[in-house]
Coordinates of all heavy atoms in Angstrom, one line a residue:
M71 N -7.2 -45.0 22.6 CA -6.5 -46.0 23.5 C -5.2 -46.5 22.9 O -4.2 -46.5 23.6 CB -7.5 -47.1 23.7 CG -7.0 -48.2 24.6 SD -7.3 -47.8 26.3 CE -6.8 -49.3 27.0
A72 N -5.3 -46.9 21.6 CA -4.1 -47.4 21.0 C -3.0 -46.3 20.8 O -1.8 -46.5 20.9 CB -4.4 -48.0 19.6
L73 N -3.5 -45.1 20.6 CA -2.6 -43.9 20.5 C -1.8 -43.7 21.8 O -0.6 -43.4 21.8 CB -3.4 -42.7 20.1 CG -2.5 -41.4 19.8 CD1 -1.5 -41.7 18.7 CD2 -3.4 -40.3 19.5
G74 N -2.5 -43.8 22.9 CA -1.9 -43.6 24.2 C -0.8 -44.7 24.5 O 0.3 -44.4 25.1
I75 N -1.1 -45.9 24.1 CA -0.1 -47.0 24.3 C 1.2 -46.7 23.4 O 2.3 -46.9 23.9 CB -0.7 -48.3 23.9 CG1 -1.8 -48.7 25.0 CG2 0.3 -49.4 23.9 CD1 -2.6 -49.9 24.6
L76 N 0.9 -46.3 22.2 CA 2.0 -46.0 21.3 C 2.9 -44.8 21.8 O 4.1 -44.8 21.7 CB 1.5 -45.6 19.9 CG 1.0 -46.8 19.1 CD1 0.4 -46.4 17.8 CD2 2.1 -47.8 18.8
M77 N 2.2 -43.8 22.4 CA 2.9 -42.7 22.9 C 3.8 -43.1 24.1 O 4.9 -42.6 24.3 CB 1.9 -41.5 23.3 CG 1.2 -40.9 22.1 SD 2.4 -40.1 21.0 CE 2.8 -38.7 22.0
G78 N 3.2 -44.0 25.0 CA 4.0 -44.5 26.1 C 5.2 -45.3 25.7 O 6.3 -45.1 26.3
I79 N 5.1 -46.1 24.6 CA 6.2 -46.8 24.1 C 7.3 -45.9 23.6 O 8.5 -46.1 23.8 CB 5.7 -47.9 23.1 CG1 4.9 -48.9 23.8 CG2 6.9 -48.5 22.4 CD1 4.2 -49.9 22.8
C80 N 6.8 -44.9 22.8 CA 7.8 -43.9 22.3 C 8.6 -43.2 23.4 O 9.8 -43.0 23.2 CB 7.1 -42.9 21.4 SG 6.5 -43.7 19.8
R81 N 7.9 -42.8 24.4 CA 8.6 -42.1 25.5 C 9.6 -43.0 26.2 O 10.7 -42.6 26.6 CB 7.5 -41.6 26.5 CG 6.8 -40.4 26.1 CD 5.9 -39.9 27.2 NE 5.0 -38.9 26.7 CZ 3.7 -38.9 26.9 NH1 3.1 -39.8 27.6 NH2 2.9 -38.0 26.4
A82 N 9.2 -44.3 26.4 CA 10.1 -45.3 27.0 C 11.3 -45.5 26.2 O 12.4 -45.6 26.7 CB 9.4 -46.6 27.3
M83 N 11.1 -45.5 24.8 CA 12.3 -45.7 24.0 C 13.2 -44.5 24.0 O 14.4 -44.6 24.0 CB 11.8 -46.0 22.5 CG 11.1 -47.3 22.4 SD 12.2 -48.7 22.7 CE 13.2 -48.7 21.3
R84 N 12.6 -43.3 24.0 CA 13.4 -42.1 24.1 C 14.2 -42.0 25.3 O 15.4 -41.7 25.3 CB 12.5 -40.9 24.0 CG 13.0 -39.9 23.0 CD 12.0 -38.7 22.9 NE 10.8 -39.1 22.4 CZ 9.6 -38.5 22.8 NH1 9.6 -37.6 23.7 NH2 8.5 -38.9 22.3
R85 N 13.6 -42.4 26.5 CA 14.4 -42.3 27.7 C 15.5 -43.4 27.7 O 16.5 -43.1 28.2 CB 13.4 -42.6 28.9 CG 12.8 -41.3 29.4 CD 12.1 -41.6 30.7 NE 10.6 -41.4 30.4 CZ 9.7 -42.3 30.6 NH1 10.0 -43.5 31.1 NH2 8.5 -42.1 30.3
K86 N 15.2 -44.5 27.1 CA 16.2 -45.6 27.1 C 17.4 -45.2 26.3 O 18.6 -45.4 26.7 CB 15.6 -46.9 26.6 CG 16.4 -48.1 26.9 CD 15.6 -49.3 26.5 CE 16.3 -50.5 27.0 NZ 15.6 -51.8 26.7
R87 N 17.2 -44.6 25.2 CA 18.3 -44.2 24.3 C 19.2 -43.1 25.0 O 20.4 -43.2 24.9 CB 17.8 -43.6 23.0 CG 17.7 -44.7 22.0 CD 17.4 -44.1 20.6 NE 16.0 -44.6 20.2 CZ 15.1 -43.8 19.7 NH1 15.3 -42.5 19.5 NH2 13.9 -44.3 19.4
S88 N 18.6 -42.1 25.6 CA 19.3 -41.1 26.2 C 20.2 -41.6 27.4 O 21.2 -41.1 27.7 CB 18.4 -39.9 26.7 OG 17.6 -40.4 27.7
S89 N 19.7 -42.6 28.1 CA 20.4 -43.1 29.3 C 21.6 -43.9 28.9 O 22.5 -44.1 29.6 CB 19.5 -43.9 30.2 OG 19.1 -45.1 29.5
T90 N 21.6 -44.5 27.7 CA 22.7 -45.3 27.2 C 23.9 -44.4 26.8 O 25.0 -44.9 26.6 CB 22.3 -46.2 26.0 OG1 21.8 -45.4 25.0 CG2 21.3 -47.2 26.5
L91 N 23.7 -43.1 26.7 CA 24.7 -42.2 26.2 C 25.6 -41.7 27.4 O 26.4 -40.8 27.2 CB 24.2 -41.0 25.4 CG 23.5 -41.4 24.1 CD1 22.9 -40.2 23.5 CD2 24.4 -42.1 23.2
N92 N 25.3 -42.2 28.6 CA 26.1 -41.7 29.8 C 27.6 -42.1 29.6 O 27.9 -43.1 29.0 CB 25.5 -42.3 31.1 CG 24.2 -41.7 31.4 OD1 23.9 -40.6 31.0 ND2 23.4 -42.4 32.2
I93 N 28.4 -41.4 30.3 CA 29.8 -41.7 30.3 C 30.1 -43.0 31.0 O 29.6 -43.2 32.1 CB 30.6 -40.6 31.0 CG1 30.4 -39.3 30.2 CG2 32.1 -40.9 31.0 CD1 31.0 -38.0 30.8
L94 N 30.9 -43.9 30.4 CA 31.2 -45.2 31.0 C 32.3 -45.0 32.0 O 33.3 -44.5 31.8 CB 31.6 -46.2 29.9 CG 31.9 -47.6 30.4 CD1 30.7 -48.2 30.9 CD2 32.5 -48.4 29.3
S95 N 32.0 -45.5 33.2 CA 32.9 -45.4 34.3 C 33.1 -46.8 34.9 O 32.4 -47.7 34.5 CB 32.5 -44.4 35.4 OG 31.3 -44.9 36.1
S96 N 34.0 -46.9 35.8 CA 34.2 -48.3 36.4 C 33.0 -48.7 37.3 O 32.9 -49.9 37.5 CB 35.5 -48.2 37.3 OG 35.4 -47.3 38.3
K97 N 32.2 -47.8 37.7 CA 31.0 -48.2 38.5 C 29.9 -48.6 37.6 O 29.0 -49.4 38.0 CB 30.6 -47.0 39.4 CG 31.6 -46.7 40.4 CD 31.0 -45.8 41.5 CE 32.1 -45.6 42.6 NZ 31.5 -45.3 43.9
R98 N 29.8 -48.1 36.4 CA 28.8 -48.4 35.5 C 29.1 -49.6 34.6 O 28.2 -50.2 34.0 CB 28.4 -47.2 34.6 CG 27.8 -46.1 35.3 CD 27.5 -45.0 34.3 NE 27.1 -43.8 35.0 CZ 25.8 -43.5 35.3 NH1 24.9 -44.4 35.0 NH2 25.5 -42.4 35.9
G99 N 30.4 -50.0 34.5 CA 30.8 -51.0 33.6 C 30.7 -52.4 34.2 O 30.2 -52.5 35.3
P100 N 31.2 -53.4 33.6 CA 31.3 -54.8 34.2 C 32.1 -54.8 35.4 O 32.9 -53.9 35.7 CB 31.9 -55.7 33.1 CG 31.9 -54.8 31.9 CD 31.7 -53.4 32.2
R101 N 32.1 -55.9 36.1 CA 32.8 -56.1 37.4 C 34.3 -55.9 37.2 O 35.0 -55.3 38.1 CB 32.5 -57.4 38.0 CG 33.1 -57.6 39.4 CD 32.8 -59.0 39.9 NE 31.4 -59.1 40.1 CZ 30.8 -60.2 40.6 NH1 31.6 -61.2 40.9 NH2 29.5 -60.3 40.7
D102 N 34.9 -56.4 36.1 CA 36.3 -56.3 36.0 C 36.8 -55.2 35.1 O 37.9 -55.1 34.6 CB 36.8 -57.7 35.4 CG 36.2 -58.0 34.0 OD1 35.2 -57.4 33.7 OD2 36.7 -58.9 33.3
Y103 N 35.9 -54.2 34.9 CA 36.3 -53.1 34.0 C 37.1 -52.1 34.8 O 36.7 -51.6 35.9 CB 35.0 -52.4 33.5 CG 35.3 -51.2 32.6 CD1 35.7 -51.3 31.3 CD2 35.0 -49.9 33.1 CE1 36.0 -50.2 30.6 CE2 35.3 -48.8 32.3 CZ 35.8 -49.0 31.0 OH 36.0 -47.9 30.2
Y104 N 38.2 -51.6 34.3 CA 39.1 -50.6 34.9 C 39.4 -49.6 33.9 O 40.0 -49.9 32.8 CB 40.4 -51.3 35.4 CG 41.3 -50.3 36.1 CD1 41.0 -49.7 37.3 CD2 42.5 -49.9 35.4 CE1 41.9 -48.8 37.8 CE2 43.3 -49.0 36.0 CZ 43.0 -48.4 37.2 OH 43.9 -47.5 37.8
K105 N 38.9 -48.4 34.1 CA 39.1 -47.3 33.1 C 40.5 -46.7 33.1 O 41.0 -46.5 32.0 CB 38.0 -46.2 33.3 CG 38.0 -45.2 32.2 CD 36.9 -44.3 32.4 CE 36.8 -43.3 31.3 NZ 35.7 -42.3 31.4
G106 N 41.0 -46.5 34.2 CA 42.4 -45.9 34.3 C 42.3 -44.4 34.3 O 41.2 -43.8 34.2
K107 N 43.4 -43.8 34.3 CA 43.5 -42.3 34.3 C 44.2 -41.7 33.1 O 44.8 -40.7 33.2 CB 44.3 -41.9 35.6 CG 43.7 -42.4 36.9 CD 42.4 -41.6 37.2 CE 41.9 -42.0 38.6 NZ 40.6 -41.5 38.8
N108 N 44.2 -42.5 32.0 CA 44.8 -42.0 30.8 C 46.3 -41.8 31.0 O 46.9 -40.8 30.5 CB 44.1 -40.8 30.3 CG 44.4 -40.5 28.8 OD1 44.9 -41.4 28.1 ND2 44.1 -39.3 28.3
C109 N 47.0 -42.7 31.7 CA 48.4 -42.6 31.9 C 49.2 -43.6 31.1 O 48.6 -44.7 30.9 CB 48.8 -42.7 33.4 SG 48.0 -41.5 34.4
K110 N 50.4 -43.4 30.8 CA 51.2 -44.4 30.1 C 52.0 -45.1 31.1 O 52.4 -44.6 32.2 CB 52.1 -43.7 29.1 CG 51.4 -43.0 28.0 CD 52.3 -42.4 27.0 CE 51.5 -41.8 25.9 NZ 52.4 -41.1 24.9
S111 N 52.3 -46.4 30.8 CA 53.0 -47.2 31.8 C 54.5 -46.7 31.7 O 55.0 -46.3 30.7 CB 52.9 -48.7 31.4 OG 53.5 -48.9 30.1
T112 N 55.2 -46.9 32.8 CA 56.6 -46.5 32.9 C 57.5 -47.7 32.9 O 58.7 -47.5 33.1 CB 56.9 -45.7 34.2 OG1 56.5 -46.4 35.3 CG2 56.1 -44.4 34.1
G113 N 57.0 -48.9 32.8 CA 57.8 -50.1 32.8 C 56.9 -51.3 32.5 O 55.9 -51.2 31.8
F114 N 57.3 -52.4 33.1 CA 56.6 -53.7 32.9 C 56.6 -54.5 34.2 O 57.5 -54.4 35.0 CB 57.1 -54.4 31.7 CG 58.5 -54.8 31.8 CD1 58.9 -56.1 32.3 CD2 59.5 -54.0 31.4 CE1 60.2 -56.5 32.4 CE2 60.8 -54.4 31.5 CZ 61.2 -55.6 32.0
H115 N 55.7 -55.5 34.3 CA 55.6 -56.4 35.4 C 56.5 -57.6 35.1 O 56.4 -58.1 33.9 CB 54.2 -56.8 35.7 CG 53.4 -55.7 36.2 ND1 53.4 -55.3 37.5 CD2 52.5 -54.8 35.6 CE1 52.6 -54.3 37.7 NE2 52.0 -54.0 36.6
T116 N 57.1 -58.2 36.1 CA 57.9 -59.4 35.9 C 57.0 -60.6 36.2 O 55.9 -60.5 36.8 CB 59.2 -59.4 36.7 OG1 58.8 -59.3 38.1 CG2 60.1 -58.2 36.4
R117 N 57.5 -61.8 36.0 CA 56.7 -63.0 36.3 C 56.6 -63.3 37.8 O 55.7 -63.9 38.2 CB 57.4 -64.2 35.7 CG 57.3 -64.3 34.2 CD 57.8 -65.7 33.7 NE 58.5 -65.4 32.5 CZ 59.2 -66.4 31.9 NH1 59.3 -67.5 32.4 NH2 59.8 -66.1 30.7
K118 N 57.6 -62.8 38.5 CA 57.6 -63.0 40.0 C 56.9 -61.9 40.8 O 57.0 -61.8 42.0 CB 59.0 -63.3 40.5 CG 59.6 -64.5 39.8 CD 60.9 -64.8 40.4 CE 61.5 -66.0 39.8 NZ 62.8 -66.4 40.4
G119 N 56.2 -61.0 40.1 CA 55.5 -60.0 40.8 C 56.2 -58.7 41.0 O 55.7 -57.8 41.6
G120 N 57.4 -58.5 40.4 CA 58.1 -57.3 40.5 C 57.7 -56.3 39.4 O 56.9 -56.6 38.5
Y121 N 58.3 -55.1 39.5 CA 58.0 -54.1 38.5 C 59.3 -53.5 38.1 O 60.1 -53.0 38.9 CB 57.1 -53.1 39.0 CG 56.5 -52.1 37.9 CD1 55.6 -52.6 37.0 CD2 57.0 -50.8 37.8 CE1 55.1 -51.7 36.1 CE2 56.5 -50.0 36.8 CZ 55.6 -50.4 36.0 OH 55.1 -49.6 35.0
V122 N 59.6 -53.4 36.8 CA 60.9 -52.9 36.3 C 60.5 -51.5 35.6 O 59.7 -51.5 34.7 CB 61.5 -53.8 35.2 CG1 62.8 -53.2 34.7 CG2 61.9 -55.1 35.9
V123 N 61.2 -50.5 36.1 CA 61.0 -49.1 35.5 C 62.0 -48.9 34.4 O 63.2 -49.1 34.6 CB 61.1 -48.0 36.6 CG1 61.0 -46.7 36.0 CG2 60.1 -48.2 37.7
M124 N 61.5 -48.6 33.2 CA 62.3 -48.4 32.0 C 62.6 -46.9 31.9 O 61.6 -46.1 31.9 CB 61.7 -48.9 30.8 CG 61.5 -50.4 30.9 SD 60.6 -51.1 29.4 CE 61.8 -50.8 28.2
D125 N 63.9 -46.5 31.7 CA 64.2 -45.1 31.6 C 63.7 -44.5 30.3 O 63.4 -43.3 30.3 CB 65.7 -44.9 31.7 CG 66.2 -43.5 31.9 OD1 65.5 -42.8 32.7 OD2 67.2 -43.1 31.3
E126 N 63.5 -45.3 29.3 CA 63.0 -44.7 28.0 C 61.6 -44.3 28.1 O 61.1 -43.5 27.4 CB 63.2 -45.8 26.9 CG 64.5 -46.3 26.7 CD 64.8 -47.5 27.6 OE1 64.0 -48.4 27.7 OE2 66.0 -47.6 28.1
K127 N 60.8 -44.9 29.0 CA 59.4 -44.6 29.2 C 59.1 -43.5 30.2 O 58.0 -43.1 30.3 CB 58.6 -45.9 29.6 CG 58.6 -46.9 28.5 CD 57.7 -48.0 28.9 CE 57.4 -49.0 27.8 NZ 56.4 -50.0 28.2
L128 N 60.1 -43.1 30.9 CA 59.9 -42.0 31.9 C 59.8 -40.6 31.1 O 60.5 -40.4 30.2 CB 61.0 -41.9 32.9 CG 61.1 -43.1 33.9 CD1 62.3 -43.0 34.7 CD2 59.9 -43.1 34.7
P129 N 59.0 -39.7 31.6 CA 58.9 -38.4 30.9 C 60.1 -37.6 31.3 O 60.6 -37.6 32.4 CB 57.6 -37.8 31.5 CG 57.4 -38.5 32.8 CD 58.0 -39.9 32.7
H130 N 60.6 -36.9 30.3 CA 61.8 -36.0 30.4 C 61.3 -34.6 30.1 O 60.8 -34.3 29.0 CB 62.9 -36.4 29.5 CG 63.5 -37.7 29.8 ND1 64.3 -37.9 30.9 CD2 63.3 -38.9 29.2 CE1 64.7 -39.2 30.9 NE2 64.1 -39.8 29.9
Y131 N 61.4 -33.7 31.0 CA 61.0 -32.3 30.9 C 62.1 -31.4 30.5 O 63.2 -31.4 31.2 CB 60.3 -31.8 32.1 CG 59.1 -32.6 32.5 CD1 59.2 -33.5 33.6 CD2 57.9 -32.6 31.8 CE1 58.1 -34.3 34.0 CE2 56.8 -33.4 32.2 CZ 56.9 -34.2 33.2 OH 55.9 -35.0 33.6
V132 N 62.0 -30.6 29.5 CA 63.0 -29.6 29.1 C 62.6 -28.3 29.7 O 61.6 -27.7 29.3 CB 63.0 -29.5 27.5 CG1 64.1 -28.5 27.1 CG2 63.4 -30.9 26.9
V133 N 63.4 -27.8 30.6 CA 63.1 -26.5 31.3 C 64.1 -25.5 30.9 O 65.3 -25.8 31.0 CB 63.1 -26.7 32.8 CG1 62.8 -25.4 33.5 CG2 62.1 -27.8 33.2
P134 N 63.7 -24.4 30.4 CA 64.7 -23.3 30.0 C 65.4 -22.7 31.3 O 64.8 -22.8 32.4 CB 63.9 -22.3 29.3 CG 62.5 -22.5 29.8 CD 62.4 -23.9 30.1
D135 N 66.5 -22.1 31.1 CA 67.2 -21.5 32.2 C 66.5 -20.2 32.5 O 66.4 -19.3 31.7 CB 68.7 -21.2 31.7 CG 69.5 -20.6 32.9 OD1 69.1 -20.9 34.0 OD2 70.4 -19.8 32.6
L136 N 66.0 -20.0 33.7 CA 65.2 -18.9 34.1 C 66.0 -18.0 35.1 O 65.4 -17.3 35.9 CB 63.9 -19.4 34.8 CG 63.0 -20.2 33.9 CD1 61.8 -20.7 34.7 CD2 62.6 -19.4 32.7
T137 N 67.3 -18.0 35.1 CA 68.0 -17.0 35.9 C 67.8 -15.6 35.4 O 67.7 -15.3 34.2 CB 69.5 -17.4 35.9 OG1 70.0 -17.4 34.5 CG2 69.8 -18.7 36.5
N138 N 67.7 -14.7 36.3 CA 67.5 -13.3 36.1 C 66.2 -13.0 35.3 O 66.1 -12.2 34.4 CB 68.6 -12.6 35.3 CG 69.9 -12.7 36.1 OD1 69.9 -12.7 37.3 ND2 71.0 -12.8 35.4
F139 N 65.2 -13.9 35.6 CA 63.9 -13.7 34.9 C 63.0 -12.8 35.8 O 62.9 -13.0 37.0 CB 63.3 -15.1 34.7 CG 62.1 -15.1 33.8 CD1 62.2 -14.8 32.5 CD2 60.8 -15.4 34.3 CE1 61.2 -14.9 31.6 CE2 59.7 -15.4 33.4 CZ 59.9 -15.2 32.1
K140 N 62.3 -11.9 35.2 CA 61.6 -10.9 35.9 C 60.3 -11.4 36.6 O 59.9 -11.0 37.7 CB 61.2 -9.7 35.0 CG 62.4 -9.0 34.6 CD 61.9 -7.8 33.7 CE 63.2 -7.1 33.2 NZ 62.8 -6.0 32.3
L141 N 59.6 -12.4 36.0 CA 58.3 -12.8 36.5 C 58.6 -13.9 37.6 O 59.5 -14.6 37.5 CB 57.5 -13.4 35.4 CG 57.0 -12.5 34.3 CD1 56.2 -13.2 33.3 CD2 56.2 -11.3 34.9
K142 N 57.6 -14.0 38.5 CA 57.7 -15.0 39.6 C 56.9 -16.2 39.2 O 56.0 -16.1 38.4 CB 57.1 -14.4 40.9 CG 57.9 -13.1 41.4 CD 59.3 -13.5 41.8 CE 59.9 -12.2 42.3 NZ 61.3 -12.4 42.5
P143 N 57.2 -17.4 39.7 CA 56.5 -18.6 39.3 C 55.1 -18.7 40.0 O 54.3 -19.5 39.5 CB 57.4 -19.7 39.8 CG 58.2 -19.1 40.9 CD 58.4 -17.7 40.6
Y144 N 54.8 -17.9 41.0 CA 53.5 -18.1 41.7 C 52.6 -16.9 41.3 O 53.0 -15.8 41.2 CB 53.7 -18.0 43.2 CG 52.4 -18.0 44.0 CD1 51.7 -19.1 44.1 CD2 52.0 -16.8 44.5 CE1 50.5 -19.1 44.8 CE2 50.8 -16.8 45.2 CZ 50.1 -17.9 45.4 OH 48.9 -17.9 46.1
V145 N 51.3 -17.3 41.0 CA 50.3 -16.3 40.7 C 49.2 -16.5 41.7 O 48.7 -17.6 41.8 CB 49.8 -16.5 39.2 CG1 48.7 -15.5 38.9 CG2 50.9 -16.4 38.2
A146 N 48.8 -15.5 42.4 CA 47.8 -15.5 43.4 C 46.4 -15.7 42.7 O 46.2 -15.2 41.6 CB 47.8 -14.3 44.3
Q147 N 45.5 -16.5 43.4 CA 44.2 -16.6 42.9 C 43.4 -15.4 43.0 O 42.6 -15.0 42.0 CB 43.5 -17.7 43.7 CG 44.0 -19.1 43.4 CD 43.2 -20.2 44.2 OE1 42.6 -19.9 45.2 NE2 43.2 -21.4 43.7
C148 N 43.5 -14.6 44.0 CA 42.8 -13.4 44.2 C 43.7 -12.2 44.0 O 44.4 -11.8 44.9 CB 42.2 -13.3 45.6 SG 41.0 -14.7 46.0
S149 N 43.8 -11.8 42.8 CA 44.8 -10.7 42.5 C 44.2 -9.4 42.9 O 43.0 -9.2 42.8 CB 45.2 -10.7 41.0 OG 44.0 -10.5 40.3
R150 N 45.0 -8.5 43.3 CA 44.6 -7.1 43.7 C 44.8 -6.2 42.5 O 45.6 -6.4 41.7 CB 45.4 -6.6 44.9 CG 45.1 -7.4 46.2 CD 45.9 -6.9 47.3 NE 47.2 -7.4 47.2 CZ 48.3 -6.8 47.6 NH1 48.3 -5.6 48.2 NH2 49.5 -7.4 47.5
D151 N 44.0 -5.2 42.5 CA 44.1 -4.1 41.5 C 45.3 -3.3 41.9 O 45.3 -2.5 42.8 CB 42.9 -3.3 41.3 CG 41.7 -4.0 40.8 OD1 42.0 -5.0 40.0 OD2 40.6 -3.7 41.1
A152 N 46.4 -3.4 41.1 CA 47.6 -2.7 41.4 C 47.7 -1.4 40.6 O 47.5 -1.4 39.4 CB 48.8 -3.6 41.2
T153 N 48.0 -0.3 41.3 CA 48.3 0.9 40.6 C 49.7 1.3 40.9 O 50.1 1.4 42.1 CB 47.3 2.0 41.0 OG1 47.4 2.2 42.4 CG2 45.9 1.6 40.6
S154 N 50.4 1.6 39.9 CA 51.8 2.1 40.1 C 52.0 3.5 39.6 O 51.2 3.9 38.8 CB 52.8 1.1 39.5 OG 52.6 1.1 38.1
S155 N 53.1 4.1 40.0 CA 53.3 5.4 39.5 C 53.7 5.5 38.0 O 53.5 6.4 37.4 CB 54.5 6.0 40.4 OG 55.6 5.2 40.2
E156 N 54.3 4.3 37.5 CA 54.6 4.3 36.1 C 53.4 4.4 35.2 O 53.4 5.1 34.2 CB 55.4 3.0 35.8 CG 56.8 3.0 36.5 CD 57.4 1.6 36.3 OE1 56.9 0.8 35.6 OE2 58.5 1.4 37.0
T157 N 52.4 3.6 35.6 CA 51.2 3.6 34.7 C 50.4 4.9 34.8 O 49.9 5.4 33.8 CB 50.2 2.4 35.2 OG1 49.9 2.6 36.5 CG2 50.9 1.1 34.9
T158 N 50.4 5.5 36.0 CA 49.7 6.8 36.1 C 50.4 7.9 35.4 O 49.9 8.8 34.8 CB 49.5 7.2 37.6 OG1 50.7 7.2 38.3 CG2 48.5 6.2 38.3
A159 N 51.8 7.9 35.4 CA 52.6 8.9 34.7 C 52.4 8.7 33.2 O 52.5 9.7 32.4 CB 54.0 8.8 35.1
A160 N 52.3 7.5 32.7 CA 52.2 7.2 31.3 C 50.9 7.7 30.7 O 50.8 8.1 29.6 CB 52.4 5.8 31.0
T161 N 49.8 7.6 31.6 CA 48.5 8.0 31.1 C 48.3 9.5 31.0 O 47.4 10.0 30.4 CB 47.4 7.3 32.0 OG1 47.6 7.7 33.3 CG2 47.4 5.8 31.8
K162 N 49.1 10.3 31.8 CA 48.9 11.7 31.8 C 49.5 12.4 30.6 O 50.1 12.2 29.8 CB 49.6 12.3 33.1 CG 48.8 11.9 34.3 CD 49.4 12.6 35.5 CE 48.6 12.2 36.7 NZ 49.1 12.8 37.9

C-alpha cells in the first residue's frame, strides 16, 4: 500500500518537472509578459508619444555589383531534371 502511494507521488513529480521545461511564450507567461520577435529597436519613443528613427540603428546591407552575373536570383521549389547536350557530350 505504501509502495503504491510512493510510486504515485514519484510519477506526479516526474510529470511536473517535464511540464515546466516547456518553451515560455506570451500565452504561458504573466499577463504583462511580451516576448518579442528578437528584433532590435530602430529608434526611441518620445515623451509625447512620437517615435524617432535613428539612422545609426537602421540595418545597412552591402550588396555586390551583380551585372553580367550568370545565375538568376530565383530558384524554383520543384526543380526539373535538366539534361543538356554539354553534359551528355562530356560523359561520352
Side-chain angles (χ1 to χ4, degrees):
M71 178 87 177
L73 184 62
I75 294 172
L76 287 174
M77 293 297 287
I79 291 173
C80 290
R81 285 188 192 128
M83 292 297 287
R84 225 179 297 145
R85 269 188 253 124
K86 195 171 190 179
R87 269 190 245 133
S88 65
S89 66
T90 57
L91 298 176
N92 288 338
I93 297 171
L94 182 64
S95 67
S96 59
K97 294 195 176 204
R98 294 182 186 270
R101 183 181 297 181
D102 58 345
Y103 180 73
Y104 179 71
K105 187 172 182 179
K107 301 287 185 190
N108 199 16
C109 300
K110 295 181 180 180
S111 65
T112 57
F114 61 92
H115 293 278
T116 61
R117 286 189 222 172
K118 298 186 178 184
Y121 191 76
V122 177
V123 177
M124 298 176 67
D125 192 39
E126 303 88 41
K127 291 187 173 186
L128 290 175
H130 296 284
Y131 301 106
V132 179
V133 180
D135 185 27
L136 299 176
T137 55
N138 300 328
F139 193 66
K140 293 181 182 179
L141 297 177
K142 302 291 182 189
Y144 174 75
V145 178
Q147 288 181 336
C148 301
S149 61
R150 292 180 282 151
D151 292 332
T153 57
S154 65
S155 59
E156 296 173 5
T157 57
T158 56
T161 57
K162 289 183 181 181

